[in-house]
Amino acid sequence: MMNRSGPAAPVFRRPVLPLVGGCPCGTIRYQVTARPLLLYACHCTDCQHASGGALAMNMPVRTEAFRVQTGEPKGWHRVSPSGDQTVSWFCGDCGGRIYGSRVSRPDTVNVRAGTLDDTSWLVPAAQIFVRSAQPWVQLHEAACHETLPPDFASLAKTWRAGWDAS
């Protein structure tokens, strides 16, 4: 793990639950009724390709706390680079990617945090695959990992501490 020195990390602001969001055209709307398990920025090339941008903001939540309220997401099934069976759920009308699921992790879904209506509170606990980060991306003071972190549980603990303290 590498850490950056510099100004203090941004102040975490806890949002009001439920969190709500959806696809760009509004066909798919969802809500999250419990605290996210974690929020991290991923700079891997797969996330860059899938997002069409420099990174993806991933927000794992418990499956039972995630509910599609309107619309029917379509799934793109594939095998991840790690060999895991994954499904990327998106809007069939506008193509907006909303969340992902993995066969190996049935208890969680990974919401694309940028699809939330209110993104002003998003401060990731970590940034991963920074070795693939675009050269112009400025990393903030979150824990930075060249590839995968050795332990997502410690990142989730840091995330919970910030949530509980706000």
Side-chain angles (χ1 to χ4, degrees):
M1 179 177 82
M2 53 187 224
N3 283 310
R4 295 189 59 200
S5 60
V11 175
F12 183 84
R13 181 180 63 80
R14 182 178 17 182
V16 176
L17 293 173
L19 306 174
V20 293
C23 67
C25 76
T27 297
I28 308 291
R29 297 292 299 160
Y30 69 83
Q31 74 173 9
V32 175
T33 58
R35 168 182 65 192
L37 301 172
L38 180 60
L39 177 67
Y40 63 93
C42 183
H43 298 272
C44 78
T45 55
D46 281 349
C47 282
Q48 290 177 24
H49 288 167
S51 70
L55 57 93
M57 291 289 286
N58 296 310
M59 187 178 75
V61 300
R62 296 256 178 246
T63 302
E64 68 267 9
F66 179 79
R67 187 173 312 116
V68 174
Q69 296 177 294
T70 62
E72 292 290 328
K74 296 193 181 302
W76 173 50
H77 299 257
R78 69 182 187 97
V79 176
S80 73
S82 67
D84 205 359
Q85 297 286 333
T86 66
V87 184
S88 292
W89 296 96
F90 63 95
C91 174
D93 290 342
C94 69
R97 189 170 172 197
I98 303 161
Y99 67 102
S101 59
R102 291 179 179 259
V103 170
S104 65
R105 297 183 208 148
D107 295 338
T108 62
V109 297
N110 205 357
V111 176
R112 293 297 180 152
T115 65
L116 290 166
D117 290 351
D118 176 12
T119 59
S120 66
W121 62 273
L122 298 176
V123 178
Q127 298 191 61
I128 66 173
F129 283 97
V130 297
R131 74 175 183 195
S132 306
Q134 294 298 313
W136 52 265
V137 169
Q138 294 184 6
L139 303 175
H140 74 80
E141 290 71 30
C144 293
H145 301 269
E146 287 289 318
T147 59
L148 284 172
D151 179 20
F152 271 96
S154 63
L155 297 178
K157 183 178 178 182
T158 300
W159 169 256
R160 281 191 308 274
W163 182 281
D164 293 340
S166 64

